[in-house]
Amino acid sequence: MTQRYDIRPQILSEQPTAVAEATLAVPEIGPWLTKTYNDIAAVLAGCGIEPTGAPFARYHRLEDGRFRVEAGYPVGVAIDRADGVHPSVLPGGPAARTVHLGPYEAMGSAYRALASWVRACGGDIAGDAWEVYFSDPEVEPDPAAWRTGVVQPYRVTPRRT
């Protein structure tokens, strides 16, 4: 069964984040994310800072098939660098959002749906998308029940007359 995606445009404000980064092959990503989210949560707790939302990861595919991954949490204010955690931001501006229901391996269809929507609206992809993890696989072991938001920044292409 093919999932249908409800795609919503939104104008995002720039979002401060607390992140860690690594260059990883696909099989390394899941274990690294689990450890990284726990490490970042501990650093934030030690600083008295609460995340303002669910954990996210932003992926940039490299030519060798690996990914440069930036993962962390949105926060209310810029943080200081500490214990491998550093400040970053998720960009503001136009973005298309959707939610994927199911295993991570099947998320390509969400990315394709977002890209098609952006093109159909006369836009261009503007940077790497990011995933927002609403489900925790350690709490919800059934991949069919996992909910993952996908956010794709875009820019509107001016129409020529």
Side-chain angles (χ1 to χ4, degrees):
M1 184 170 112
T2 303
Q3 181 173 341
R4 295 186 54 126
Y5 292 98
D6 179 25
I7 298 174
R8 301 193 181 256
Q10 189 173 14
I11 303 298
L12 301 176
S13 297
E14 190 172 84
Q15 173 64 61
T17 60
V19 301
E21 295 181 66
T23 299
L24 304 163
V26 171
E28 300 170 310
I29 293 173
W32 181 82
L33 287 175
T34 299
K35 179 183 180 325
T36 297
Y37 293 138
N38 290 332
D39 292 349
I40 293 171
V43 168
L44 291 176
C47 296
I49 298 172
E50 290 278 331
T52 59
F56 74 93
R58 195 168 193 192
Y59 301 92
H60 179 76
R61 183 183 295 272
L62 302 174
E63 290 181 16
D64 65 2
R66 295 180 307 155
F67 288 86
R68 188 179 75 238
V69 183
E70 178 182 76
Y73 290 93
V75 291
V77 295
I79 64 159
D80 291 327
R81 184 177 294 267
D83 298 326
V85 177
H86 63 87
S88 188
V89 295
L90 290 172
R97 303 179 79 115
T98 196
V99 174
H100 172 77
L101 181 62
Y104 302 136
E105 297 79 26
M107 286 185 54
S109 57
Y111 283 85
R112 288 188 295 278
L114 287 166
S116 290
W117 183 93
V118 167
R119 284 191 305 276
C121 292
D124 293 311
I125 300 297
D128 296 320
W130 61 90
E131 298 174 4
V132 180
Y133 302 108
F134 299 120
S135 302
D136 181 347
E138 293 182 355
V139 174
E140 174 53 71
D142 180 7
W146 294 347
R147 291 181 58 246
T148 307
V150 184
V151 182
Q152 176 62 67
Y154 67 94
R155 65 182 155 271
V156 177
T157 306
R159 300 198 186 271
R160 296 179 189 221
T161 56

